[in-house]
């Protein structure tokens, strides 16, 4: 049977061979999958890293390519794509794992989250469910034309099997771990793809070396992949690379600021639609955003949610009668973004001159600074004479690795064999065991509000000094 190939700058040739894989290849033409061409993998990151314009479509193909290599280790005797039923579901899940992402990926979920904060009572509503890609993806896989295609490939229960792997219904299943785990095809692709297209340096991942050293074993917690001690450094490098991409790329201050302005704009647009006043937002009753808002459970409306929908509507928002919508849209279009105060930086500067801080090790220092930043942010939001509707506190914690510490191996941990025993990598890697973590603590605000910049900065500086003294006194 003929083999089809797609060229990729990360993995070289992505091959589809055998009847099942060719059927997966044909599914790329499905409208739900084609929509991913119009959803950027990194949302607004290209406003900071101009070449970071790669799509969820390309990433999904990359995840498929990595999953296929991992599957070949789990099922080493398979030739020409004749995988087991679980193996086939694994490949389909890898290809479809992001099928439910909305415009600008996670930024759209953030926008709906802000709308829910401004309009309480929406937590379990169909609208909130319709922007959660973890809920939308299984729905598309089971209930849309994607589900019909999968059913023809693998039978009546096949779409649900695929959806369950993406949803991690069985965490002890090795096939699930290849798609969704701490060392899965998703992470192995984007940890290489994202820095490549963004043009940022990272520790890198020696994917070929890992593939040569992965082995399969059985344990009390199911089958799992592992490497022996000679290759564990490559796994260590993987965890560090992924960790460092967060402050460098994913949580870049400018990107997060644009995401907030997008969220603020969209939440205001949704408020107008909810009030049957979409004309004030510059929209007609038939506009895709209006149709989605009023019938979010309809998957046909989900098909319309891509990045081009927003950019194609931006000029409408700029002409809106609603002044808030008009102002924010104009600022986004002209790259006139909100200003930001980094609470962590203020705390870090204050700590540099504090004798007690100099006696702490790195872990204790980070713990103190994080506590200071949290307290300062809480205090700031209570100061009603300073804190306004335009202010936004951005916090995101990230740790290097989540240990399970299951001796004998587990599909959901990174496994290393040492001394004849398979253990969690945290047991033998000093770097992973360091429990390294960081958090961002930033305040974005509209500097057009008279005096706001100075008032915020003064309050943050004073708060940092007081809370730092308090933390060091309590810890003494």
């Amino acid at each position: 049977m003929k083999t089809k190939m797609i060229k990729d700058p990360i993995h070289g040739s992505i091959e589809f061979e055998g009847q099942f894989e060719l059927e997966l290849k044909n599914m790329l033409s499905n409208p739900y999958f084609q929509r991913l061409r119009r959803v950027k993998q990194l949302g607004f990151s290209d406003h900071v890293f101009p070449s970071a314009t790669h799509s969820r479509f390309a990433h999904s193909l990359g995840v498929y390519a990595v999953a296929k290599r991992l599957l070949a280790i789990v099922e080493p005797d398979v030739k020409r794509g004749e995988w087991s039923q679980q193996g086939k579901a694994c490949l389909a899940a890898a290809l479809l794992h992001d099928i439910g992402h909305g415009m600008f990926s996670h930024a759209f979920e953030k926008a709906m989250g802000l709308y829910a904060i401004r309009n309480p009572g929406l937590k379990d509503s169909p609208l909130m469910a319709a922007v959660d890609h973890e809920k939308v993806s299984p729905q598309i896989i089971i209930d849309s034309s994607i589900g019909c295609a999968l059913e023809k490939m693998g039978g009546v229960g096949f779409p649900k099997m695929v959806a369950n792997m993406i949803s991690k219904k069985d965490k002890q299943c090795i096939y699930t771990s290849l798609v969704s785990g701490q060392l899965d095809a998703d992470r192995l692709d984007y940890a290489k793809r994202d820095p490549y297209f963004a043009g940022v340096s990272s520790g890198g991942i020696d994917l070929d070396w890992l593939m040569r050293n992965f082995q399969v074993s059985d344990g009390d917690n199911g089958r799992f992949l592992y490497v022996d001690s000679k290759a564990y450094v490559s796994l260590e490098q993987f965890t560090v690379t992924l960790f460092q991409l967060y402050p460098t790329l994913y949580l870049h201050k400018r990107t997060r600021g644009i995401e907030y302005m997008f969220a603020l704009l969209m939440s205001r647009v949704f408020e107008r639609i909810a009030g049957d006043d979409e004309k004030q937002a510059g929209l007609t009753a038939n506009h895709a955003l209006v149709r989605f808002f009023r019938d979010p459970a309809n998957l046909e409306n989900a098909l319309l949610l891509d990045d081009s929908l927003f950019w194609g509507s931006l000029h409408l928002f700029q002409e809106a009668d609603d002044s808030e919508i008009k102002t924010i849209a104009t600022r986004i279009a002209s790259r006139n973004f909100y200003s930001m105060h980094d609470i962590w930086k203020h705390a870090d500067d204050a700590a540099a001159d504090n004798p007690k801080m100099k006696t702490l090790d790195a872990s204790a220092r980070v713990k103190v600074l994080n506590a200071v930043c949290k307290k300062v942010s809480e205090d700031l939001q209570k100061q009603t004479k300073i804190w306004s509707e335009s202010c936004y506190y951005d916090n995101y914690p990230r740790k290097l690795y989540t240990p399970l510490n299951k001796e004998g191996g587990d599909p959901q941990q990174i496994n290393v064999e040492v001394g004849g025993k398979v253990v969690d990598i945290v047991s033998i890697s000093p770097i992973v065991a360091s429990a390294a973590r960081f958090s961002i603590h930033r305040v974005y605000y509209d500097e057009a509000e008279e005096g706001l910049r100075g008032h915020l900065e003064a309050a943050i500086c004073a708060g940092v000094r007081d809370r730092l003294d308090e933390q060091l006194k309590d810890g003494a």
Side-chain angles (χ1 to χ4, degrees):
M1 184 173 288
K2 184 178 179 181
T3 296
K4 292 189 177 181
M5 177 185 70
I6 296 176
K7 293 290 290 181
D8 180 71
I10 305 300
H11 304 296
S13 299
I14 299 175
E15 294 186 347
F16 294 81
E17 53 188 345
Q19 181 178 348
F20 174 77
E21 291 180 25
L22 290 174
E23 288 174 350
L24 280 182
K25 168 69 169 56
N26 291 336
M27 197 168 61
L28 301 185
S29 298
N30 185 283
Y32 285 95
F33 201 87
Q34 283 293 307
R35 186 185 65 87
L36 297 182
R37 290 185 184 273
R38 304 184 297 277
V39 178
K40 289 195 185 85
Q41 168 80 355
L42 296 181
F44 291 99
S45 290
D46 62 317
H47 281 65
V48 181
F49 307 98
S51 61
T53 57
H54 55 301
S55 66
R56 288 275 164 184
F57 184 96
H59 165 61
S60 296
L61 286 171
V63 176
Y64 168 84
V66 176
K68 185 176 176 180
R69 295 179 71 179
L70 293 171
L71 185 60
I73 298 167
V74 177
E75 301 184 6
D77 298 326
V78 170
K79 306 294 182 185
R80 300 292 296 171
E82 294 298 322
W83 310 105
S84 68
Q85 188 75 343
Q86 283 184 303
K88 291 176 180 178
C90 176
L91 287 182
L95 193 64
L96 298 170
H97 76 288
D98 275 348
I99 197 72
H101 269 289
M103 63 173 73
F104 302 106
S105 300
H106 296 288
F108 191 59
E109 296 174 3
K110 185 175 180 178
M112 193 58 71
L114 183 59
Y115 173 71
I117 292 173
R118 289 163 61 113
N119 300 271
L122 294 171
K123 183 178 179 182
D124 298 317
S125 68
L127 185 63
M128 293 301 293
V131 299
D132 185 342
H133 77 278
E134 292 184 356
K135 294 179 180 179
V136 177
S137 291
Q139 186 183 1
I140 291 174
I141 289 169
I142 294 172
D143 296 332
S144 75
S145 54
I146 290 280
C148 295
L150 290 173
E151 190 170 313
K152 289 180 181 179
M153 296 181 206
V156 175
F158 191 62
K160 189 172 183 179
M161 182 185 292
V162 173
N164 285 346
M165 284 188 182
I166 295 174
S167 301
K168 293 174 69 169
K169 294 294 186 183
D170 183 2
K171 293 184 179 180
Q172 265 46 67
C173 173
I174 190 172
Y175 296 96
T176 295
S177 73
L178 303 188
V179 178
S180 187
Q182 294 205 74
L183 181 64
D184 58 20
D186 182 24
R187 289 168 174 81
L188 287 169
D189 179 75
Y190 72 65
K192 289 181 70 70
R193 186 175 302 276
D194 293 352
Y196 173 87
F197 281 100
V200 303
S201 60
S202 66
I205 299 172
D206 195 341
L207 187 57
D208 290 338
W209 177 247
L210 284 175
M211 291 297 177
R212 288 176 64 89
N213 284 277
F214 275 132
Q215 301 178 63
V216 182
S217 185
D218 289 280
D220 293 339
N221 300 309
R223 297 177 74 202
F224 56 85
L225 290 176
Y226 73 96
V227 301
D228 59 31
S229 57
K230 73 177 181 180
Y232 98 88
V233 173
S234 294
L235 290 177
E236 187 179 70
Q237 186 181 38
F238 161 76
T239 63
V240 172
T241 294
L242 199 58
F243 180 69
Q244 292 177 339
L245 282 175
Y246 276 80
T248 307
L249 180 56
Y250 304 135
L251 301 178
H252 190 280
K253 61 183 180 182
R254 178 62 69 207
T255 303
R256 297 287 286 188
I258 303 170
E259 287 177 0
Y260 169 58
M261 293 184 72
F262 166 76
L264 196 60
L265 173 60
M266 294 307 299
S267 65
R268 183 58 181 160
V269 169
F270 286 142
E271 285 169 1
R272 282 298 190 180
I273 297 173
D276 293 327
D277 201 12
E278 62 272 5
K279 289 183 179 179
Q280 290 293 307
L283 305 178
T284 64
N286 196 44
H287 189 277
L289 281 171
V290 179
R291 289 157 57 190
F292 166 76
F293 186 90
R294 291 184 176 153
D295 189 9
N298 187 339
L299 289 178
E300 291 297 315
N301 290 332
L303 262 176
L304 306 173
L305 300 180
D306 56 41
D307 298 4
S308 62
L309 174 62
F310 174 75
W311 294 123
S313 303
L314 190 59
H315 74 285
L316 299 176
F317 299 143
Q318 288 178 265
E319 298 169 0
D321 292 331
D322 184 304
S323 61
E324 185 178 358
I325 292 174
K326 182 175 184 177
T327 299
I328 299 173
T330 300
R331 291 189 64 162
I332 291 175
S334 59
R335 286 185 55 84
N336 182 17
F337 303 126
Y338 279 5
S339 295
M340 182 272 296
H341 283 309
D342 191 332
I343 301 176
W344 186 281
K345 186 178 185 305
H346 284 287
D348 211 13
D349 290 344
D353 296 326
N354 192 300
K356 289 185 179 180
M357 287 294 290
K358 295 177 182 178
T359 66
L360 302 180
D361 62 27
S363 179
R365 187 176 188 277
V366 168
K367 186 176 180 180
V368 168
L369 290 178
N370 194 50
V372 168
C373 291
K374 288 180 68 175
K375 288 291 186 181
V376 170
S377 68
E378 291 169 2
D379 294 342
L380 198 61
Q381 293 173 72
K382 294 175 184 176
Q383 298 187 42
T384 55
K385 292 184 178 180
I386 297 176
W387 196 262
S388 72
E389 281 195 356
S390 77
C391 297
Y392 171 66
Y393 169 55
D394 188 21
N395 171 239
Y396 190 103
R398 178 69 187 183
K399 55 185 175 181
L400 180 65
Y401 176 68
T402 302
L404 298 182
N405 274 318
K406 292 186 178 180
E407 189 170 313
D410 186 275
Q412 290 296 319
Q413 73 183 17
I414 298 180
N415 302 291
V416 181
E417 183 188 44
V418 57
K421 294 182 179 179
V422 176
V423 298
D424 193 329
I425 190 174
V426 74
S427 301
I428 65 167
S429 168
I431 294 177
V432 179
S434 70
R437 63 182 62 219
F438 72 88
S439 293
I440 59 171
H441 297 272
R442 299 166 181 157
V443 174
Y444 291 91
Y445 60 95
D446 185 355
E447 74 288 345
E449 290 191 29
E450 186 176 353
L452 184 57
R453 177 191 292 272
H455 292 319
L456 282 172
E457 186 169 16
I460 290 171
C461 290
V464 162
R465 287 193 302 269
D466 293 342
R467 291 300 187 176
L468 184 59
D469 290 341
E470 180 182 283
Q471 283 292 318
L472 292 174
K473 183 179 179 180
D474 292 343

